[in-house]
Amino acid sequence: MTEPAVRPDQSRSIPARTGDAVLPVRVRDALRDQQASSEILIGWIQFAVVGAFGTLYAISPKAFPAEVEFRPIPWVLGAYFAFTLARLGLAHARRLPRWFLGLSILVDMALLLGMIWSFHLQYMQPAAFYLKAPTLLYVFIFIALRTLRFEAVYVLLAGGAAALGWLFMAGYALMWDPMAAPVTRDYVLYLTSNAVLIGAEFDKIVSILTVTAILAVAIVRARRLLVRAVRESLAARELSRFFARDVADRIVDLDAGIEIGRGELRDAAVLNVDMRGFSQLATEIPPDDLIALLAEYQSTVVPVIQAHGGSIDKFLGDGVMATFGATRSSATPAADALRCLDDLSAAATAWSDRRQSAGLPAPAVGLAVASGPVVFGAVGDESRLEYTVIGTAVNLAAKLEKHTKVEAVRALTDAATYSAAGLQGYRPARPPERRPGRRVAGLDYELDLVVLAA
């Protein structure tokens, strides 16, 4: 099966793990981004470690005898400093191949164990002297560093290298050191002399391997959670493109599944926007031009709605229905909706003028707002759900938008909504025109209307 393509800037640096091959490309890319950030963090921690080693060496008394010409620690620290700088540069450039990551682990352990090995030269003691050095504890720092990448193989490599390295160090002290110290079972003698207690070295190796195994298991489990979190994060990002942001956040943050048949009563405002003559226009221009017109119109309308805190409930062909205070409770839904209507009216007029100046079809836009109690909740069945609002305000906004054609105006609202918006702090962009006692199609009563844009 052909491997899906990955982004060029990352495919060279951190290739996909075999176990990740079944993941969608975008999930693998997100994981690589996380791992690349982790490698930068690891590099800076290594830089801090070598800086700490260098500082400690610089300020500590030098115990090398004068006759010893070669002093390994400055050379080891210098080489590791250069290696760390190179690693940091590659990490920031996202060009760290996997073999280099493995090499970095081996260099870490070689640095640490090499420094510990040099102690018996520095202090002119048998090699068993370095077996008691507390510097060995830094091994666990270097192993723990590898957990930041969320790949168990690097934790196992670090722990395995440390255990094998210490096994070699203990073997050298026991068998190959010309001044080899005696082996003892006396714990007090072990602590107060250069004698070697084999059980103590065995405990150290077992501790390194046990910690490594525990961390590796933890990383395997954590990686599964990371993959799931990345999937859900990407899903939430995509949800926000299909749903209003408030609805997407609501779905993601639910403690349980979405419950059908449960609704919430909210005081909200509903805005309807519609292009004039779109159906006729659809029969007169090519399909590509029609879709381009619709996309341009929606890209003009949607940002204005969102800027005023509105949530897009649905796209109705050339129409847009938005709510204020339905998906998220608001103290000023009517005022927010009418402010949005004023800005939309201006934006739509400017959009039509631009198209007309360019010799393109320039349909007018009608707008209407109604407010009142609505029920917000999920409708549908288990196979297909939709969050929506239901109520008199929803129906009234749709009827008022159609009625703008009868009144020959661009923007309407009812007197009750206008009054509520005024109490919520709304001030109209221009003096409104009141039209009392109007008959609106679909209503069996007269309605007092307010014209916000003629």
Side-chain angles (χ1 to χ4, degrees):
M1 183 171 63
T2 303
E3 175 74 5
V6 296
R7 294 204 301 260
D9 62 328
Q10 294 181 345
S11 60
R12 293 191 302 268
S13 57
I14 307 176
R17 296 168 65 247
T18 303
D20 292 342
V22 297
L23 296 176
V25 172
R26 61 179 182 169
V27 175
R28 284 161 43 193
D29 285 346
L31 288 174
R32 289 190 185 95
D33 287 339
Q34 178 64 41
Q35 289 176 333
S37 299
S38 296
E39 289 300 336
I40 294 173
L41 177 60
I42 291 171
W44 281 111
I45 294 176
Q46 287 178 315
F47 187 83
V49 169
V50 72
F53 281 159
T55 301
L56 289 173
Y57 179 77
I59 65 177
S60 63
K62 306 302 181 290
F64 278 102
E67 62 271 17
V68 177
E69 296 182 0
F70 178 70
R71 303 184 179 187
I73 293 180
W75 290 95
V76 170
L77 289 177
Y80 188 64
F81 179 77
F83 182 83
T84 302
L85 286 180
R87 190 190 187 288
L88 262 177
L90 290 173
H92 278 283
R94 301 198 173 195
R95 293 180 176 274
L96 275 174
R98 295 180 73 84
W99 66 264
F100 193 90
L101 297 177
L103 177 64
S104 176
I105 293 172
L106 298 179
V107 169
D108 286 346
M109 294 305 170
L111 161 73
L112 181 61
L113 298 180
M115 287 181 60
I116 295 174
W117 180 84
S118 71
F119 290 167
H120 84 290
L121 300 178
Q122 181 176 348
Y123 296 99
M124 300 191 70
Q125 295 290 322
F129 175 78
Y130 61 62
L131 295 178
K132 300 179 178 65
T135 312
L136 175 64
L137 295 175
Y138 281 93
V139 158
F140 297 103
I141 296 177
F142 286 130
I143 296 173
L145 265 180
R146 304 303 155 183
T147 63
L148 296 176
R149 188 183 163 81
F150 289 97
E151 285 194 68
V153 63
Y154 295 110
V155 175
L156 293 173
L157 178 59
L164 286 174
W166 195 252
L167 182 62
F168 176 81
M169 298 267 285
Y172 176 83
L174 284 170
M175 295 180 287
W176 300 300
D177 179 26
M179 299 186 295
V183 176
T184 184
R185 293 185 178 182
D186 187 333
Y187 186 69
V188 175
L189 179 63
Y190 162 71
L191 288 179
T192 57
S193 71
N194 285 329
V196 178
L197 182 64
I198 294 178
E201 307 315 312
F202 178 80
D203 288 345
K204 294 173 187 176
I205 294 173
V206 169
S207 297
I208 292 172
L209 292 177
T210 302
V211 169
T212 298
I214 293 172
L215 289 177
V217 171
I219 288 303
V220 169
R221 299 182 65 177
R223 186 178 178 86
R224 292 173 186 165
L225 292 176
L226 175 63
V227 170
R228 185 182 306 169
V230 169
R231 281 181 179 272
E232 292 183 356
S233 175
L234 292 173
R237 191 183 308 167
E238 293 301 318
L239 274 176
S240 66
R241 300 175 63 190
F242 289 91
F243 298 93
R245 170 63 67 178
D246 292 342
V247 175
D249 291 343
R250 182 187 183 89
I251 294 171
V252 172
D253 294 338
L254 282 175
D255 291 331
I258 300 173
E259 295 185 50
I260 305 172
R262 292 181 61 88
E264 299 178 40
L265 185 65
R266 299 279 176 85
D267 186 22
V270 181
L271 166 70
N272 272 60
V273 188
D274 189 69
M275 264 198 290
R276 296 284 176 258
F278 181 79
S279 298
Q280 179 62 34
L281 189 62
T283 66
E284 298 173 354
I285 63 176
D288 287 348
D289 293 345
L290 182 69
I291 296 301
L293 166 66
L294 193 58
E296 188 179 322
Y297 154 73
Q298 290 171 341
S299 66
T300 301
V301 170
V302 171
V304 178
I305 294 173
Q306 293 175 336
H308 285 274
S311 297
I312 305 297
D313 184 273
K314 57 177 65 72
F315 292 101
L316 305 166
D318 59 311
V320 179
M321 174 182 165
T323 62
F324 297 79
T327 59
R328 179 177 296 174
S329 182
S330 170
T332 58
D336 295 338
L338 292 191
R339 291 190 193 101
C340 179
L341 183 146
D342 288 339
D343 287 351
L344 271 178
S345 179
T349 300
W351 172 71
S352 296
D353 290 344
R354 287 195 304 271
R355 289 188 62 87
Q356 190 170 19
S357 298
L360 299 171
V365 175
L367 308 102
V369 170
S371 66
V374 300
V375 176
F376 171 69
V379 296
D381 65 14
E382 292 296 339
S383 63
R384 175 67 170 85
L385 296 176
E386 179 179 303
Y387 268 107
T388 191
V389 289
I390 301 169
T392 302
V394 178
N395 298 328
L396 182 57
K399 290 179 172 61
L400 288 179
E401 187 279 316
K402 289 181 174 59
H403 193 70
T404 57
K405 301 174 186 177
V406 178
E407 299 289 340
V409 297
R410 282 183 297 160
L412 275 178
T413 189
D414 62 289
T417 295
Y418 183 79
S419 176
L423 294 175
Q424 294 169 11
Y426 168 71
R427 298 294 178 268
R430 59 187 64 81
E433 177 189 348
R434 294 182 179 271
R435 298 185 180 181
R438 298 292 181 166
R439 300 292 299 185
V440 176
L443 299 180
D444 56 4
Y445 55 89
E446 291 184 347
L447 197 64
D448 293 340
L449 302 181
V450 178
V451 178
L452 296 174

